[in-house]
């Protein structure tokens, strides 16, 4: 799940750099190697990408399990080596963002697996299977809510003070809405699973 297609959020930092200082129009150059600041950066679950604002030309960082996001570091890694007078403001709670969003990654990963396994188990249409699916769905729902809430909170915090960018320049991505949709689907499925399990056990002769 890379930022190229499915992203948690995106940021356009160009407005913060006077006269395009340190920026580049060569979007096909690798990112994170001092090849110039891109007009757009987008963060996914496993990496981030930088390139054109229409997402047509992007270069992405290597995928990493437990990936977190650090906007200032991403921009700093793209500043050309021959430019030394660009000052990037630090984000006061970057350590919290790093720690909590890494935790959110694992929560979302585990929650997705739990809900997926619950769906497969429910296909057995057996009372015991439906009972197990109900438990897994509830656990997946709880874990997904925690992970999605953490990412939503910190992305919203970044909208307020990252690089001095106006809030409209940082946008929530489609991945976040997908996770919230998964939360809603799990919540919607639980009554049916619990009801099916209860009805199945009631009809089982002893």
């Amino acid at each position: 799940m890379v930022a190229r297609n499915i992203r948690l959020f995106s940021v356009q930092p160009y407005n913060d750099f006077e006269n395009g200082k340190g920026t580049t129009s060569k979007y096909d150059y690798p990112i994170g190697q001092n090849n110039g600041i891109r007009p757009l950066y987008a963060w996914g679950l496993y990496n981030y990408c930088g390139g054109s604002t229409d997402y047509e030309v992007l270069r992405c960082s290597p995928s990493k399990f437990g990936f977190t996001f650090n906007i200032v570091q991403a921009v700093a890694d793209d500043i050309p080596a021959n430019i030394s007078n660009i000052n990037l403001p630090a984000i006061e709670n970057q350590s919290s963002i790093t720690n909590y969003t890494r935790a959110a990654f694992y929560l979302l990963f585990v929650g997705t697996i739990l809900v997926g396994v619950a769906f497969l188990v429910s296909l057995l249409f057996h009372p015991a299977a439906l009972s197990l699916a109900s438990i897994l769905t509830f656990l997946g729902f709880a874990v997904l809510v925690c992970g999605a809430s953490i990412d939503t909170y910190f992305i919203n915090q970044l909208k307020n003070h990252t690089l001095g960018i106006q809030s409209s320049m940082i946008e929530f991505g489609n991945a976040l809405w997908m996770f919230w949709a998964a939360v809603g689907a799990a919540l919607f499925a639980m009554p049916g699973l619990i009801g099916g399990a209860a009805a199945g056990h009631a009809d089982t002769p002893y």
Side-chain angles (χ1 to χ4, degrees):
M1 186 177 293
V2 298
R4 179 186 298 276
N5 299 312
I6 303 177
R7 50 195 174 274
L8 290 168
F9 73 99
S10 61
V11 56
Q12 298 182 35
Y14 257 21
N15 287 358
D16 287 326
F17 303 102
E18 183 180 357
N19 299 322
K21 183 189 300 181
T23 61
T24 182
S25 59
K26 298 177 180 178
Y27 308 140
D28 56 341
Y29 282 21
I31 61 172
Q33 298 182 19
N34 305 110
N35 288 319
I37 300 167
R38 316 304 160 95
L40 176 136
Y41 292 88
W43 271 258
L45 278 180
Y46 297 101
N47 64 356
Y48 75 95
C49 298
S52 60
T53 55
D54 59 5
Y55 295 93
E56 290 298 321
V57 183
L58 294 175
R59 288 296 176 267
C60 301
S61 65
S63 296
K64 180 181 179 182
F65 201 77
F67 186 71
T68 185
F69 36 85
N70 187 329
I71 297 176
V72 174
Q73 188 61 53
V75 173
D77 289 343
D78 274 343
I79 296 176
N82 61 343
I83 297 179
S84 59
N85 58 344
I86 294 181
N87 296 317
L88 298 178
I91 299 177
E92 294 180 358
N93 61 338
Q94 181 59 55
S95 61
S96 295
I97 293 174
T98 299
N99 294 331
Y100 281 103
T101 56
R102 180 175 291 116
F105 170 90
Y106 288 109
L107 289 170
L108 293 171
F109 182 79
V110 171
T112 302
I113 291 177
L114 288 172
V115 172
V117 171
F119 171 74
L120 294 176
V121 171
S122 69
L123 296 178
L124 298 175
F125 294 108
H126 187 278
L130 292 176
S131 297
L132 177 59
S134 300
I135 295 172
L136 292 175
T137 300
F138 173 76
L139 293 175
F141 165 78
V143 173
L144 284 173
V145 165
C146 292
S149 296
I150 290 172
D151 274 347
T152 301
Y153 172 78
F154 281 106
I155 293 172
N156 193 58
Q157 290 294 304
L158 288 171
K159 287 168 68 71
N160 296 326
H161 61 261
T162 298
L163 297 177
I165 302 172
Q166 297 297 319
S167 60
S168 61
M169 300 303 291
I170 295 182
E171 298 179 349
F172 288 103
N174 51 7
L176 205 55
W177 307 129
M178 290 179 184
F179 283 122
W180 281 114
V183 168
L187 181 62
F188 180 79
M190 276 191 287
L193 291 172
I194 294 172
H201 283 297
D203 294 338
T204 301
Y206 293 95

